[in-house]
Amino acid sequence: MTTREIAIQSLKDEAQAILDLIPKMNDDFEHAVDMMLECKGKVIVTGVGKSGHIGAKIAATLASTGTPSFFINPLDVYHGDLGVMSQGDVVLAISNSGQTDELLRFIPMVLHMQIPIIGMSGNPQSLLAKYSTYHLNVSVEKEACPLNLAPTSSTTATLAMGDALAIALMEKRHFRPQDFAQFHPGGELGKRLLTTAQDVMITENLPVLSADMHLGKAIIHVSKGKLGLGVAIEDGKIAGLITDGDIRRAMEKWQAEFFNHTVEDIMTRTPKTVGPQAKISDIQKIMNKHKIHNVLVVDSDNHLMGIVDRYACVL
Protein backbone atom coordinates (compact mmCIF):
# COMPACT_ATOMS: atom_id res chain seq x y z
CA MET A 1 0.00 0.00 0.00
CA THR A 2 1.14 3.53 -0.74
CA THR A 3 1.37 6.13 2.01
CA ARG A 4 -1.81 7.76 0.76
CA GLU A 5 -3.68 4.44 0.70
CA ILE A 6 -2.59 3.75 4.27
CA ALA A 7 -3.88 7.17 5.37
CA ILE A 8 -7.17 6.66 3.52
CA GLN A 9 -7.67 3.29 5.19
CA SER A 10 -7.00 4.89 8.56
CA LEU A 11 -9.71 7.48 7.92
CA LYS A 12 -12.12 4.78 6.81
CA ASP A 13 -11.42 2.72 9.95
CA GLU A 14 -12.03 5.69 12.24
CA ALA A 15 -15.15 6.76 10.35
CA GLN A 16 -16.50 3.23 10.65
CA ALA A 17 -15.77 3.22 14.36
CA ILE A 18 -18.05 6.25 14.75
CA LEU A 19 -20.82 4.71 12.64
CA ASP A 20 -20.61 1.53 14.71
CA LEU A 21 -21.59 3.56 17.79
CA ILE A 22 -25.10 4.12 16.45
CA PRO A 23 -26.53 0.66 17.25
CA LYS A 24 -24.95 0.87 20.72
CA MET A 25 -26.93 3.99 21.61
CA ASN A 26 -29.51 2.86 24.15
CA ASP A 27 -31.66 4.38 26.88
CA ASP A 28 -28.57 5.05 28.99
CA PHE A 29 -27.59 7.80 26.58
CA GLU A 30 -30.90 9.60 27.01
CA HIS A 31 -30.78 9.14 30.77
CA ALA A 32 -27.22 10.48 30.84
CA VAL A 33 -28.24 13.57 28.89
CA ASP A 34 -31.17 14.19 31.23
CA MET A 35 -28.92 13.78 34.27
CA MET A 36 -26.43 16.31 32.90
CA LEU A 37 -29.25 18.67 31.94
CA GLU A 38 -30.73 18.54 35.44
CA CYS A 39 -27.35 18.79 37.16
CA LYS A 40 -27.43 21.59 39.73
CA GLY A 41 -23.66 21.70 40.03
CA LYS A 42 -20.95 20.90 37.51
CA VAL A 43 -20.22 18.07 35.14
CA ILE A 44 -16.76 16.86 36.15
CA VAL A 45 -15.00 14.92 33.41
CA THR A 46 -12.16 12.60 34.35
CA GLY A 47 -9.85 10.10 32.73
CA VAL A 48 -6.23 8.99 32.59
CA GLY A 49 -3.75 9.08 29.71
CA LYS A 50 -5.27 9.34 26.23
CA SER A 51 -8.74 9.14 27.79
CA GLY A 52 -7.77 12.14 29.89
CA HIS A 53 -6.81 14.15 26.82
CA ILE A 54 -10.13 13.29 25.18
CA GLY A 55 -11.94 14.06 28.43
CA ALA A 56 -10.38 17.52 28.60
CA LYS A 57 -11.67 18.28 25.13
CA ILE A 58 -15.16 16.98 25.97
CA ALA A 59 -15.22 19.13 29.12
CA ALA A 60 -14.22 22.18 27.08
CA THR A 61 -16.95 21.49 24.51
CA LEU A 62 -19.59 21.06 27.20
CA ALA A 63 -18.52 24.24 28.98
CA SER A 64 -18.61 26.29 25.77
CA THR A 65 -22.09 25.06 24.87
CA GLY A 66 -23.92 25.83 28.09
CA THR A 67 -23.09 22.93 30.42
CA PRO A 68 -20.87 24.00 33.35
CA SER A 69 -18.01 21.52 33.15
CA PHE A 70 -14.31 21.05 33.77
CA PHE A 71 -11.74 18.27 33.58
CA ILE A 72 -9.90 16.77 36.53
CA ASN A 73 -7.16 14.15 36.52
CA PRO A 74 -8.04 11.39 39.03
CA LEU A 75 -4.40 11.36 40.13
CA ASP A 76 -4.78 14.95 41.36
CA VAL A 77 -7.73 13.99 43.53
CA TYR A 78 -5.37 12.22 45.90
CA HIS A 79 -3.52 15.49 46.46
CA GLY A 80 -6.33 17.77 47.49
CA ASP A 81 -8.43 18.34 44.38
CA LEU A 82 -11.34 16.33 45.76
CA GLY A 83 -12.46 19.60 47.35
CA VAL A 84 -13.73 20.89 44.01
CA MET A 85 -16.46 18.24 43.99
CA SER A 86 -19.74 18.47 45.87
CA GLN A 87 -23.21 16.97 45.91
CA GLY A 88 -25.17 18.20 42.95
CA ASP A 89 -22.28 17.47 40.59
CA VAL A 90 -22.17 14.69 37.98
CA VAL A 91 -19.00 12.80 37.08
CA LEU A 92 -18.32 11.68 33.51
CA ALA A 93 -15.60 9.03 33.84
CA ILE A 94 -13.78 7.85 30.71
CA SER A 95 -11.68 4.71 30.28
CA ASN A 96 -11.36 2.58 27.15
CA SER A 97 -10.87 -0.62 29.15
CA GLY A 98 -13.12 0.43 32.01
CA GLN A 99 -10.52 -1.14 34.28
CA THR A 100 -7.99 1.68 34.66
CA ASP A 101 -6.61 1.34 38.18
CA GLU A 102 -6.14 5.06 38.89
CA LEU A 103 -9.70 5.76 37.79
CA LEU A 104 -11.20 2.86 39.75
CA ARG A 105 -9.52 4.03 42.96
CA PHE A 106 -11.19 7.39 42.42
CA ILE A 107 -14.71 5.95 42.09
CA PRO A 108 -15.30 4.97 45.78
CA MET A 109 -14.65 8.58 46.80
CA VAL A 110 -17.24 9.76 44.30
CA LEU A 111 -19.81 7.21 45.41
CA HIS A 112 -19.18 8.08 49.06
CA MET A 113 -20.08 11.70 48.23
CA GLN A 114 -23.27 10.42 46.56
CA ILE A 115 -22.26 11.89 43.22
CA PRO A 116 -23.69 9.95 40.25
CA ILE A 117 -21.29 8.60 37.62
CA ILE A 118 -21.75 8.42 33.88
CA GLY A 119 -19.23 5.89 32.64
CA MET A 120 -17.87 5.91 29.10
CA SER A 121 -15.84 2.86 28.12
CA GLY A 122 -15.34 0.20 25.50
CA ASN A 123 -16.24 -2.58 27.92
CA PRO A 124 -19.87 -2.83 29.12
CA GLN A 125 -18.79 -5.59 31.56
CA SER A 126 -16.07 -3.52 33.20
CA LEU A 127 -15.96 -2.34 36.79
CA LEU A 128 -16.47 1.23 35.58
CA ALA A 129 -19.68 0.16 33.84
CA LYS A 130 -20.76 -1.74 36.95
CA TYR A 131 -20.41 1.24 39.27
CA SER A 132 -21.81 3.79 36.84
CA THR A 133 -25.35 5.09 37.12
CA TYR A 134 -25.43 5.05 33.33
CA HIS A 135 -22.89 3.62 30.92
CA LEU A 136 -22.08 4.69 27.36
CA ASN A 137 -20.57 1.96 25.22
CA VAL A 138 -17.79 3.30 22.95
CA SER A 139 -16.22 -0.04 22.01
CA VAL A 140 -14.57 -0.36 18.59
CA GLU A 141 -13.96 -3.40 16.38
CA LYS A 142 -10.31 -2.50 15.92
CA GLU A 143 -7.91 0.39 16.16
CA ALA A 144 -6.79 2.20 13.03
CA CYS A 145 -3.27 1.48 14.23
CA PRO A 146 -1.83 -1.38 12.09
CA LEU A 147 -0.66 -3.05 15.30
CA ASN A 148 -4.12 -2.62 16.84
CA LEU A 149 -2.41 -1.10 19.86
CA ALA A 150 -2.21 2.71 19.70
CA PRO A 151 -5.47 4.41 20.74
CA THR A 152 -6.82 5.73 17.43
CA SER A 153 -10.29 4.53 16.50
CA SER A 154 -11.15 4.19 20.20
CA THR A 155 -10.23 7.79 21.03
CA THR A 156 -12.06 9.04 17.95
CA ALA A 157 -15.19 7.12 18.98
CA THR A 158 -14.97 8.48 22.52
CA LEU A 159 -14.55 12.03 21.29
CA ALA A 160 -17.53 11.62 18.96
CA MET A 161 -19.67 10.30 21.82
CA GLY A 162 -18.69 13.34 23.88
CA ASP A 163 -19.73 15.59 21.01
CA ALA A 164 -23.03 13.70 20.77
CA LEU A 165 -23.66 14.46 24.46
CA ALA A 166 -22.85 18.13 23.95
CA ILE A 167 -25.05 18.46 20.86
CA ALA A 168 -27.97 16.69 22.55
CA LEU A 169 -27.63 19.03 25.54
CA MET A 170 -27.54 22.05 23.25
CA GLU A 171 -30.82 20.97 21.69
CA LYS A 172 -32.38 20.30 25.08
CA ARG A 173 -31.30 23.73 26.31
CA HIS A 174 -32.50 25.44 23.11
CA PHE A 175 -28.97 26.83 22.84
CA ARG A 176 -28.85 29.69 20.30
CA PRO A 177 -26.07 31.46 18.40
CA GLN A 178 -26.41 34.35 20.85
CA ASP A 179 -25.76 31.95 23.72
CA PHE A 180 -22.70 30.57 21.94
CA ALA A 181 -21.40 34.09 21.53
CA GLN A 182 -21.72 34.69 25.28
CA PHE A 183 -19.22 31.89 25.83
CA HIS A 184 -16.95 32.99 22.94
CA PRO A 185 -16.80 36.79 23.24
CA GLY A 186 -13.30 36.93 21.76
CA GLY A 187 -14.08 35.02 18.58
CA GLU A 188 -15.39 36.34 15.29
CA LEU A 189 -18.87 34.92 15.89
CA GLY A 190 -18.97 36.39 19.37
CA LYS A 191 -18.02 39.81 18.12
CA ARG A 192 -20.63 39.77 15.37
CA LEU A 193 -23.39 38.62 17.70
CA LEU A 194 -22.53 40.85 20.65
CA THR A 195 -21.26 44.04 19.00
CA THR A 196 -23.99 46.63 18.41
CA ALA A 197 -24.47 49.47 15.97
CA GLN A 198 -23.71 51.92 18.74
CA ASP A 199 -20.27 50.33 19.21
CA VAL A 200 -19.11 50.85 15.62
CA MET A 201 -21.21 53.65 14.11
CA ILE A 202 -19.63 56.79 12.70
CA THR A 203 -20.85 59.87 14.56
CA GLU A 204 -18.53 62.69 13.49
CA ASN A 205 -18.62 64.80 10.33
CA LEU A 206 -21.78 63.10 9.10
CA PRO A 207 -22.79 64.10 5.55
CA VAL A 208 -26.02 65.86 6.47
CA LEU A 209 -28.00 67.61 3.72
CA SER A 210 -31.30 69.43 3.38
CA ALA A 211 -33.92 68.14 0.99
CA ASP A 212 -33.97 71.45 -0.94
CA MET A 213 -30.19 71.59 -1.33
CA HIS A 214 -29.06 71.78 -4.97
CA LEU A 215 -27.19 68.73 -6.15
CA GLY A 216 -24.06 70.70 -7.02
CA LYS A 217 -23.67 71.62 -3.34
CA ALA A 218 -24.77 68.15 -2.19
CA ILE A 219 -21.89 66.58 -4.14
CA ILE A 220 -19.41 68.53 -1.98
CA HIS A 221 -21.01 67.28 1.26
CA VAL A 222 -21.12 63.68 0.02
CA SER A 223 -17.47 63.87 -1.02
CA LYS A 224 -16.34 65.32 2.31
CA GLY A 225 -18.24 62.63 4.22
CA LYS A 226 -16.20 59.90 2.48
CA LEU A 227 -19.04 57.40 2.94
CA GLY A 228 -20.51 57.66 -0.54
CA LEU A 229 -23.80 59.04 0.72
CA GLY A 230 -25.63 62.02 2.13
CA VAL A 231 -28.53 62.05 4.59
CA ALA A 232 -31.37 64.53 4.06
CA ILE A 233 -32.71 65.95 7.32
CA GLU A 234 -35.97 67.86 7.77
CA ASP A 235 -37.15 69.16 11.15
CA GLY A 236 -34.39 67.17 12.79
CA LYS A 237 -35.56 63.86 11.35
CA ILE A 238 -34.38 61.74 8.46
CA ALA A 239 -36.21 62.61 5.26
CA GLY A 240 -34.18 60.57 2.81
CA LEU A 241 -30.80 59.45 1.57
CA ILE A 242 -28.76 59.89 -1.59
CA THR A 243 -25.73 57.87 -2.68
CA ASP A 244 -22.92 58.60 -5.10
CA GLY A 245 -24.66 56.08 -7.39
CA ASP A 246 -27.83 58.18 -7.30
CA ILE A 247 -25.76 61.23 -8.22
CA ARG A 248 -24.06 59.50 -11.17
CA ARG A 249 -27.37 58.27 -12.54
CA ALA A 250 -28.89 61.75 -12.17
CA MET A 251 -25.96 63.28 -14.08
CA GLU A 252 -26.43 60.82 -16.92
CA LYS A 253 -30.18 61.48 -16.98
CA TRP A 254 -30.26 65.28 -16.71
CA GLN A 255 -26.77 66.24 -17.95
CA ALA A 256 -26.69 70.07 -18.23
CA GLU A 257 -29.90 70.33 -16.19
CA PHE A 258 -28.38 68.36 -13.31
CA PHE A 259 -27.44 71.42 -11.25
CA ASN A 260 -31.01 72.69 -11.39
CA HIS A 261 -32.26 69.75 -9.34
CA THR A 262 -32.28 69.25 -5.59
CA VAL A 263 -31.62 66.40 -3.21
CA GLU A 264 -35.36 65.81 -2.89
CA ASP A 265 -35.54 64.91 -6.58
CA ILE A 266 -33.29 61.85 -6.26
CA MET A 267 -33.33 60.82 -2.62
CA THR A 268 -34.57 57.49 -1.32
CA ARG A 269 -37.33 58.39 1.12
CA THR A 270 -37.24 55.14 3.08
CA PRO A 271 -33.56 54.37 3.73
CA LYS A 272 -32.66 51.33 5.83
CA THR A 273 -32.36 52.23 9.49
CA VAL A 274 -31.60 50.39 12.72
CA GLY A 275 -31.62 51.23 16.38
CA PRO A 276 -28.37 51.73 18.36
CA GLN A 277 -28.68 48.27 19.97
CA ALA A 278 -28.98 46.39 16.67
CA LYS A 279 -26.43 43.60 16.44
CA ILE A 280 -23.77 43.70 13.75
CA SER A 281 -24.85 40.23 12.63
CA ASP A 282 -28.36 41.58 11.90
CA ILE A 283 -26.98 44.66 10.14
CA GLN A 284 -24.89 42.41 7.89
CA LYS A 285 -28.04 40.55 6.91
CA ILE A 286 -29.78 43.82 6.01
CA MET A 287 -26.83 44.94 3.90
CA ASN A 288 -26.57 41.62 2.08
CA LYS A 289 -30.32 41.37 1.47
CA HIS A 290 -30.68 44.88 0.03
CA LYS A 291 -27.20 45.07 -1.54
CA ILE A 292 -26.31 48.27 0.28
CA HIS A 293 -23.10 49.45 1.95
CA ASN A 294 -24.42 51.64 4.75
CA VAL A 295 -27.18 51.63 7.32
CA LEU A 296 -28.41 54.66 9.27
CA VAL A 297 -28.62 54.44 13.05
CA VAL A 298 -31.62 56.28 14.51
CA ASP A 299 -33.25 56.81 17.86
CA SER A 300 -36.91 56.16 18.63
CA ASP A 301 -37.88 59.54 17.07
CA ASN A 302 -36.03 58.88 13.80
CA HIS A 303 -33.22 61.28 14.64
CA LEU A 304 -29.90 60.41 13.03
CA MET A 305 -27.40 59.09 15.57
CA GLY A 306 -24.74 57.70 13.28
CA ILE A 307 -23.93 55.58 10.23
CA VAL A 308 -22.65 52.01 10.07
CA ASP A 309 -20.75 51.15 6.91
CA ARG A 310 -19.87 47.71 5.61
CA TYR A 311 -16.25 47.95 6.71
CA ALA A 312 -17.30 48.40 10.34
CA CYS A 313 -19.09 45.05 10.13
CA VAL A 314 -15.88 43.21 9.28
CA LEU A 315 -14.69 42.24 12.76
Side-chain angles (χ1 to χ4, degrees), residues 106-314:
F106 165 67
I107 287 177
M109 304 179 196
V110 177
L111 295 177
H112 178 72
M113 297 177 68
Q114 298 182 327
I115 297 174
I117 298 172
I118 299 170
M120 189 185 297
S121 82
N123 183 1
Q125 308 305 319
S126 64
L127 287 174
L128 174 59
K130 177 181 178 181
Y131 289 108
S132 296
T133 308
Y134 302 112
H135 179 257
L136 306 179
N137 184 358
V138 290
S139 59
V140 299
E141 187 70 24
K142 65 183 182 70
E143 299 286 2
C145 165
L147 301 177
N148 199 31
L149 294 175
T152 45
S153 297
S154 58
T155 49
T156 298
T158 303
L159 184 61
M161 184 64 78
D163 285 343
L165 286 172
I167 298 304
L169 284 163
M170 287 177 69
E171 289 291 335
K172 288 270 192 176
R173 294 184 191 281
H174 305 293
F175 202 76
R176 303 165 301 165
Q178 291 84 351
D179 300 316
F180 188 86
Q182 295 283 353
F183 292 97
H184 300 77
E188 178 184 349
L189 175 63
K191 289 179 181 177
R192 283 194 288 112
L193 291 174
L194 297 179
T195 303
T196 65
Q198 187 170 259
D199 297 326
V200 299
M201 67 184 183
I202 298 167
T203 58
E204 297 182 358
N205 301 317
L206 297 178
V208 173
L209 318 171
S210 62
D212 59 359
M213 180 182 292
H214 281 88
L215 291 178
K217 187 176 181 180
I219 290 175
I220 298 173
H221 285 270
V222 171
S223 178
K224 285 183 177 180
K226 298 180 180 180
L227 293 173
L229 58 80
V231 184
I233 302 293
E234 287 185 346
D235 299 325
K237 298 183 179 182
I238 295 173
L241 176 144
I242 65 171
T243 67
D244 49 10
D246 295 327
I247 293 171
R248 287 194 301 272
R249 286 186 288 273
M251 284 181 170
E252 293 174 1
K253 178 181 179 180
W254 291 317
Q255 298 185 20
E257 298 295 319
F258 171 81
F259 293 98
N260 295 329
H261 289 272
T262 64
V263 169
E264 187 173 19
D265 295 332
I266 68 170
M267 70 184 186
T268 299
R269 298 180 182 275
T270 55
K272 301 304 175 187
T273 62
V274 297
Q277 297 306 314
K279 301 293 190 296
I280 289 299
S281 58
D282 294 327
I283 294 174
Q284 284 179 318
K285 292 176 183 177
I286 293 172
M287 290 181 176
N288 293 335
K289 179 180 179 180
H290 298 283
K291 296 180 173 58
I292 56 178
H293 299 282
N294 306 88
V295 170
L296 308 183
V297 183
V298 299
D299 62 17
S300 58
D301 293 321
N302 203 35
H303 295 131
L304 180 65
M305 297 179 64
I307 299 173
V308 176
D309 68 4
R310 181 173 292 275
Y311 297 107
C313 295
V314 180

Side-chain angles (χ1 to χ4, degrees), residues 28-39 169 172:
D28 274 23
F29 181 86
E30 294 194 24
H31 292 318
V33 170
D34 289 339
M35 177 179 284
M36 296 167 76
L37 183 66
E38 296 167 6
C39 175
L169 284 163
K172 288 270 192 176

Side-chain angles (χ1 to χ4, degrees), residues 50-63:
K50 300 296 190 298
S51 293
H53 294 309
I54 296 300
K57 191 276 178 185
I58 292 174
T61 300
L62 289 170

